Amino acid sequence: MKAVVAERPKTVPAGARPPSWTIRYRAAAVLCDIVCALLAGAVAVAVRFGEVTAYVVPYVALSGTLPLLWVIVMGLNRVYEPRLIGVGSEEFRRVAQSGFAVTAAVAVVAYVTKTDLARGYLVLALPLTTVFTLLGRYGLRRALHRRRARGHCMRRVIAVGHPEAVADLIRRFRRERYHGMDVVAACLPTGRGEVGVPVLGDFTDVPIVVAQLRADTVAVLACPEFDGTALRRLAWRLERSRTDLVVAPALMEVAGPRTTIRPVAGLPLLHVEHPELAGARRLIKNGFDRAVAGLALVLLAPLLAGLAIGVRATSKGPALFRQTRVGRDGVEFTILKFRTMRVDAEARKVELVSDVEGVLFKIRHDPRLTRLGAWLRRHSLDELPQLLNVARGHMSLVGPRPPLPAEVARYGDDVRRRLLVRPGMTGLWQVNGRSDLSWEESVRLDLRYVENWSLMLDLQILWKTWSAVARGAGAY
């Protein structure tokens, strides 16, 4: 017998108030933007003019009005929307757009009114406002992520779909709490099942469960019961309570960024573009990889030398560990790492049992590790020699995990798509759990990267890698 609310409300409350933490966060964002604009104006006046004279007073006044103009433009560009809080690059993209808009507006107004403005002041004030705001927003996001790691500032989510999909969604949200999604209940087709949270009804009960639990988000997973008509009706029923509705179509799992809506005969058809695995974009990626790897090798030469000496001094054997891996199109190459295990590690492997299921062999507390090796692995410093592999063209900075030949021999046809691009020193697997991920999850992330890679995605992953390496979580 399905568990439902004993006394169901007949209607969903209209105009539900957003969570208090959302209001506070938006207020903090506005205050941050004002402070950043004031700081940028003050720096511009100080650098351009040095001291406040009668000529400089108008620029001081302009610096005082800049925060108001900045907040208005940011508001018009919908930077303060709650859905942008805490995750994704859309918030930063809109801040940058606002910066371009303010710069263009000031330039046009100055030209039309023939106002003689000091270009040195404008060149400093407006770009600095954008840069300071981006840094301030990043700081706010990091603070929010720390609070979410403790279970605060979470969105209350009702998951709607079949049990397997709902259970998978709950596992992902619990593993990546910085997204701020806390699934508090589920609605399944039959109104019953085990998914890790209370099941409070079937698909027709969604608005009732939302009102009962004061949820602010409904996540609908891919299922045949929710066609266009059913989804539209659900959106209408959630509209009065201002409950967010998010949908996860199965197609978006791999081809999300490559889908566009193409109206044909009155129908909104999704057009799926083929992934770009060759051509100019790959040449740009290769050039970027080799240039960055070469520069990094020069800058990190003292650190690399120090680590090599440390490995040799703390255990017997060479400083570098060489192993055959499989690269793009199945071509084998020799990967380089700092040695983290004892020299008899391969011989002792037969005595050990992997802690993870699937193709990978991983042991959380591997007895073969040296003391220095365990520290190197925790912070991924053992992988720095792979910069040589990147410089030689065997690997990329970002890509799928470089597999062993024995692993590739067990690949299915789907998994072999990982070999269409060069393996990477880091990747989606690195910034989403590392060795804590299951084999299936690692494959899913690698395939998502292969299908949707871009230079911008690479830059985002490289940025997130610093945080993952500093935490040391999931590395063993």
Side-chain angles (χ1 to χ4, degrees):
M1 186 174 182
K2 66 181 181 182
V4 293
V5 183
E7 185 176 345
R8 298 180 178 178
K10 294 181 180 180
T11 60
V12 179
R17 182 179 177 85
S20 58
W21 71 265
T22 302
I23 298 174
R24 292 195 301 270
Y25 187 90
R26 294 173 70 181
V30 172
L31 179 61
C32 172
D33 297 342
I34 292 174
V35 171
C36 289
L38 282 174
L39 180 61
V43 171
V45 169
V47 173
R48 173 61 179 83
F49 304 108
E51 59 182 357
V52 179
T53 62
Y55 174 76
V56 179
V57 169
Y59 290 96
V60 175
L62 180 58
S63 297
T65 59
L66 179 60
L68 177 61
L69 173 64
W70 183 235
V71 170
I72 290 174
V73 172
M74 296 270 278
L76 292 174
N77 203 23
R78 299 185 298 175
V79 182
Y80 301 111
E81 285 190 357
R83 67 183 183 87
L84 302 180
I85 293 177
V87 67
S89 61
E90 181 65 15
E91 177 185 8
F92 302 113
R93 188 181 69 83
R94 291 194 183 187
V95 170
Q97 283 182 340
S98 300
F100 287 124
V102 171
T103 303
V106 171
V108 170
V109 170
Y111 176 78
V112 171
T113 60
K114 300 188 182 301
T115 303
D116 186 19
L117 293 175
R119 284 174 290 183
Y121 169 83
L122 295 179
V123 167
L124 286 172
L126 300 182
L128 282 179
T129 299
T130 304
V131 172
F132 288 167
T133 301
L134 288 171
L135 293 175
R137 288 301 187 95
Y138 177 74
L140 283 177
R141 178 172 291 193
R142 295 298 299 169
L144 177 64
H145 287 179
R146 287 192 292 269
R147 296 201 66 190
R148 284 178 169 175
R150 298 191 296 269
H152 305 302
C153 302
M154 305 292 283
R155 299 183 187 275
R156 295 173 63 81
V157 181
I158 306 299
V160 182
H162 286 270
E164 297 80 6
V166 170
D168 180 63
L169 181 73
I170 293 171
R171 284 193 297 270
R172 295 192 198 184
F173 284 168
R174 288 177 176 173
R175 185 177 63 243
E176 303 172 11
R177 297 185 66 83
Y178 67 90
H179 284 295
M181 296 291 191
D182 182 23
V183 180
V184 296
C187 291
L188 307 181
T190 62
R192 65 184 66 182
E194 294 291 334
V195 294
V197 297
V199 178
L200 299 183
D202 56 28
F203 292 167
T204 62
D205 298 319
V206 174
I208 299 171
V209 176
V210 168
Q212 160 94 16
L213 299 182
R214 295 183 176 273
D216 48 45
T217 303
V218 172
V220 178
L221 304 174
C223 54
E225 291 85 352
F226 263 101
D227 57 10
T229 302
L231 194 59
R232 183 168 61 246
R233 289 172 178 168
L234 176 61
W236 290 343
R237 298 179 69 185
L238 297 175
E239 185 178 5
R240 295 187 62 204
S241 63
R242 297 182 183 177
T243 304
D244 289 338
L245 176 63
V246 295
V247 183
L251 179 63
M252 299 301 177
E253 174 62 27
V254 173
R258 294 184 287 109
T259 57
T260 55
I261 297 178
R262 175 184 296 179
V264 178
L267 296 175
L269 301 182
L270 284 177
H271 175 73
V272 182
E273 298 178 359
H274 294 295
E276 294 188 29
L277 301 175
R281 287 180 59 197
R282 191 169 76 178
L283 291 176
I284 294 174
K285 175 180 171 67
N286 293 344
F288 173 79
D289 286 340
R290 295 194 182 198
V292 172
L295 179 62
L297 284 170
V298 174
L299 296 178
L300 298 178
L303 174 62
L304 293 172
L307 292 176
I309 294 173
V311 172
R312 289 293 303 272
T314 55
S315 62
K316 295 181 179 179
L320 291 179
F321 172 72
R322 293 173 170 82
Q323 191 176 48
T324 301
R325 297 292 180 100
V326 180
R328 191 180 69 194
D329 298 329
V331 178
E332 295 184 353
F333 68 97
T334 301
I335 198 171
L336 300 176
K337 292 185 177 185
F338 283 124
R339 183 175 54 82
T340 58
M341 294 186 176
R342 298 180 176 85
V343 291
D344 61 344
E346 287 300 315
R348 297 181 59 188
K349 183 177 179 180
V350 295
E351 306 171 3
L352 305 173
V353 178
S354 177
D355 288 340
V356 297
E357 297 180 359
V359 175
L360 298 180
F361 183 88
K362 290 285 185 180
I363 301 177
R364 188 172 297 273
H365 302 290
D366 198 323
R368 301 173 297 170
L369 285 174
T370 64
R371 180 174 300 180
L372 177 61
W375 180 79
L376 291 175
R377 283 201 177 189
R378 186 177 306 114
H379 299 288
S380 297
L381 295 176
D382 62 313
E383 298 177 4
L384 288 180
Q386 293 174 27
L387 290 168
L388 288 169
N389 292 116
V390 176
R392 294 173 181 174
H394 299 147
M395 296 177 62
S396 292
L397 294 174
V398 181
R401 190 188 66 85
L404 293 164
E407 297 172 5
V408 175
R410 299 171 61 184
Y411 279 1
D413 291 339
D414 291 348
V415 185
R416 285 189 176 274
R417 284 192 65 83
R418 300 169 79 193
L419 305 179
L420 293 179
V421 299
R422 289 191 178 102
M425 292 182 62
T426 185
L428 288 175
W429 48 274
Q430 175 81 296
V431 299
N432 285 281
R434 304 166 87 178
S435 295
D436 285 339
L437 296 175
S438 65
W439 165 247
E440 292 76 13
E441 187 72 5
S442 299
V443 169
R444 184 183 66 82
L445 291 173
D446 280 345
L447 291 180
R448 181 194 296 177
Y449 176 81
V450 171
E451 299 290 335
N452 304 304
W453 72 269
S454 66
L455 186 58
M456 184 57 64
L457 178 60
D458 283 5
L459 293 175
Q460 293 176 4
I461 293 173
L462 288 172
W463 177 259
K464 292 181 179 180
T465 298
W466 290 106
S467 176
V469 169
R471 293 196 310 270
Y476 54 87

